[in-house]
């Protein structure tokens, strides 16, 4: 089974015959190309055209993150799973405002359903969360009455704010969100959320690459230039399932310490130690399996993302209406 490969140091990729090496002043190691699904580069990386050619032929995308740990871009190999029929129908679902609105609502419905799952779990021991849960349920009830994408986005934004306020009831004082900040994150919790969300986006993009969907044609987010906006749509569903649960585990089990962060309040980043800890938990989470209700077999969390994309394919082709994944466990 292929796995994601993380590079957290600066260095270069070189190719000798059919072996790719990562090397810098301290190390030189061969990459198990036949076992790599995607490469995540958190250090500054240089590589030759021979490396690009070999990774492209192997179908391995490289996702690049900047100094702050934010997603910057991807080397995206030439697509081999192309379908003109699906591209036309995916596009028609975007161009038809009524059809686009249906899918946009589905992504918000899925994300918010999973947000409620998280909060309801903690509400068993913290009754103060019930007020926030009620507020989120009221906002979800507004969703069917929305008539434009901006209205849907506004509902999603208000629910996110209620969610983060509710999480602050759970987190200890030094890990409260207070206000969502991104560039740069202004405190520890915003640092963790930003780092995790970038990972979720790139993992979703890698999964899209393995389907016939076009990653630039989206429904909830606008398909602007220079971004794969369908990954933004689909990752919304999985952030509460994967990223938020990892953060809750890291914080509630006191797995983080001062050495996991660098910088000051107002300009805070994960340190090398913090990145490695988060990436380890992320890999474990993606590999975790659950019994799928429909398939009657164990599937990994990573596989759930691919299955979600297959559901979207069927919707675009008119075979089956899309229903977003909401945790049943």
């Amino acid at each position: 089974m292929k796995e994601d490969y993380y590079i957290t140091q600066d260095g270069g990729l070189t190719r000798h015959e059919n072996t790719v090496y990562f090397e810098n002043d301290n190390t030189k190691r061969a990459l198990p190309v036949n076992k790599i699904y995607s490469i995540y580069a958190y250090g500054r990386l240089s590589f030759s055209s021979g490396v690009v050619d070999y990774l492209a032929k192997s179908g391995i995308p490289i996702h690049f993150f900047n100094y702050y740990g934010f997603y910057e871009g991807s080397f995206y190999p030439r697509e081999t799973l192309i379908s003109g029929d699906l591209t036309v129908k995916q596009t028609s679902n975007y161009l038809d405002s009524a059809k686009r609105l249906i899918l946009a609502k589905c992504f918000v419905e899925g994300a918010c359903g999973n947000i409620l799952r998280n909060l309801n779990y903690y509400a068993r021991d913290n009754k103060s969360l019930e007020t926030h849960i009620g507020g989120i349920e009221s906002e979800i009830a507004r969703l069917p009455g929305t008539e434009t994408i901006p209205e849907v986005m506004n509902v999603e934004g208000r629910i996110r704010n209620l969610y983060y306020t509710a999480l602050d009831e759970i987190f200890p004082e030094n890990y409260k969100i207070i206000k969502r900040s991104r560039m740069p994150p202004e405190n520890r919790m915003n640092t963790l959320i930003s780092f995790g969300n970038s990972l979720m986006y790139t993992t979703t993009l890698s999964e899209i690459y393995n389907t016939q969907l076009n990653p630039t044609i989206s429904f909830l987010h606008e398909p602007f230039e220079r971004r794969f906006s369908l990954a933004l749509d689909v990752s919304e569903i999985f952030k509460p399932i994967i990223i938020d649960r990892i953060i809750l585990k890291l914080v509630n089990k006191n797995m983080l310490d001062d050495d996991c962060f660098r910088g000051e309040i107002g300009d805070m980043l994960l340190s090398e130690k913090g990145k490695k800890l988060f990436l380890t938990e992320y890999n474990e989470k993606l590999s975790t399996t659950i019994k799928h209700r429909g398939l009657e077999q164990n599937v990994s969390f990573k596989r759930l993302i691919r299955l979600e994309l297959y559901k979207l394919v069927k919707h675009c082709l008119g075979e089956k209406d899309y229903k977003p994944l909401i945790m049943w466990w």
Side-chain angles (χ1 to χ4, degrees):
M1 181 178 177
K2 292 186 176 182
E3 297 181 348
D4 294 324
Y5 193 86
Y6 300 94
I7 299 175
T8 58
Q9 302 175 20
D10 294 346
L13 295 180
T14 57
R15 177 186 177 187
H16 179 67
E17 295 182 343
N18 285 332
T19 302
V20 175
Y21 295 92
F22 169 77
E23 59 183 307
N24 57 25
D25 292 339
N26 303 315
T27 186
K28 179 178 181 179
R29 60 178 184 268
L31 272 62
V33 172
N34 292 334
K35 298 179 180 179
I36 293 179
Y37 192 74
S38 302
I39 295 175
Y40 292 70
Y42 283 93
R44 282 181 292 185
L45 201 62
S46 61
F47 45 84
S48 65
S49 58
V51 170
V52 172
D53 179 63
Y54 189 54
L55 293 178
K57 287 178 179 174
S58 302
I60 300 174
I62 309 178
H63 304 298
F64 298 95
F65 299 82
N66 64 16
Y67 171 78
Y68 297 99
F70 296 128
Y71 173 76
E72 282 222 309
S74 295
F75 160 67
Y76 195 73
R78 185 179 63 185
E79 294 192 37
T80 54
L81 299 174
I82 56 175
S83 167
D85 181 41
L86 177 59
T87 301
V88 168
K89 289 175 178 172
Q90 186 181 347
T91 305
S92 72
N93 272 272
Y94 167 77
L95 292 174
D96 186 314
S97 57
K99 290 182 178 178
R100 181 185 172 186
L101 193 61
I102 289 172
L103 284 173
K105 289 180 182 180
C106 282
F107 291 123
V108 175
E109 179 187 334
C112 297
N114 291 319
I115 281 172
L116 280 179
R117 284 286 192 180
N118 282 348
L119 291 182
N120 280 321
Y121 175 82
Y122 285 95
R124 290 181 293 185
D125 298 320
N126 188 339
K127 297 301 178 187
S128 66
L129 294 180
E130 292 178 356
T131 302
H132 303 292
I133 291 172
I136 290 174
E137 289 174 336
S138 296
E139 288 294 337
I140 292 175
R142 297 173 187 267
L143 200 54
T146 53
E147 298 179 349
T148 64
I149 299 298
E151 288 179 27
V152 174
M153 295 286 282
N154 285 337
V155 169
E156 194 268 346
R158 289 195 294 271
I159 289 174
R160 282 273 168 199
N161 287 335
L162 288 166
Y163 180 45
Y164 291 144
T165 303
L167 290 179
D168 275 349
E169 299 267 357
I170 302 170
F171 292 132
E173 192 63 36
N174 56 336
Y175 281 98
K176 291 191 184 301
I177 303 168
I178 304 173
K179 184 185 72 174
R180 184 75 180 100
S181 57
R182 295 175 174 81
M183 302 289 276
E186 294 181 352
N187 56 34
R188 291 183 174 191
M189 188 51 69
N190 275 291
T191 299
L192 292 167
I193 293 173
S194 293
F195 187 82
N197 287 350
S198 290
L199 271 175
M200 195 70 257
Y201 169 82
T202 47
T203 297
T204 305
L205 178 59
S206 287
E207 291 304 312
I208 293 173
Y209 175 71
N210 284 283
T211 72
Q212 295 174 323
L213 287 164
N214 186 312
T216 65
I217 303 171
S218 54
F219 307 98
L220 177 61
H221 297 84
E222 289 296 337
F224 292 135
E225 294 179 3
R226 297 187 296 278
R227 71 175 187 177
F228 300 109
S229 45
L230 184 61
L232 293 173
D233 285 1
V234 178
S235 63
E236 290 291 342
I237 294 171
F238 290 93
K239 288 176 187 174
I241 299 174
I242 296 175
I243 302 303
D244 296 351
R245 290 199 163 195
I246 289 173
I247 294 173
L248 285 160
K249 176 184 176 183
L250 290 173
V251 174
N252 291 337
K253 292 193 173 184
N254 294 317
M255 297 171 67
L256 300 163
D257 58 30
D258 292 345
D259 292 337
C260 291
F261 300 90
R262 58 191 170 98
E264 303 295 330
I265 298 297
D267 188 9
M268 183 165 283
L269 304 171
L270 280 180
S271 66
E272 190 78 12
K273 177 183 176 182
K275 286 179 186 175
K276 288 181 177 178
L277 179 60
F278 200 113
L279 292 171
T280 299
E281 291 296 321
Y282 186 68
N283 250 335
E284 286 184 8
K285 192 71 173 176
L286 289 180
S287 303
T288 301
T289 61
I290 57 167
K291 185 72 173 288
H292 194 283
R293 289 195 302 189
L295 298 177
E296 288 299 319
Q297 63 183 30
N298 289 330
V299 297
S300 67
F301 279 73
K302 192 172 192 176
R303 185 65 181 173
L304 286 176
I305 302 172
R306 181 83 67 84
L307 293 174
E308 200 67 10
L309 295 168
Y310 289 156
K311 286 157 58 179
L312 190 56
V313 169
K314 287 187 175 182
H315 179 96
C316 291
L317 293 176
E319 296 177 1
K320 188 175 182 180
D321 290 344
Y322 174 68
K323 298 292 182 186
L325 169 70
I326 296 177
M327 285 184 278
W328 62 83
W329 57 95

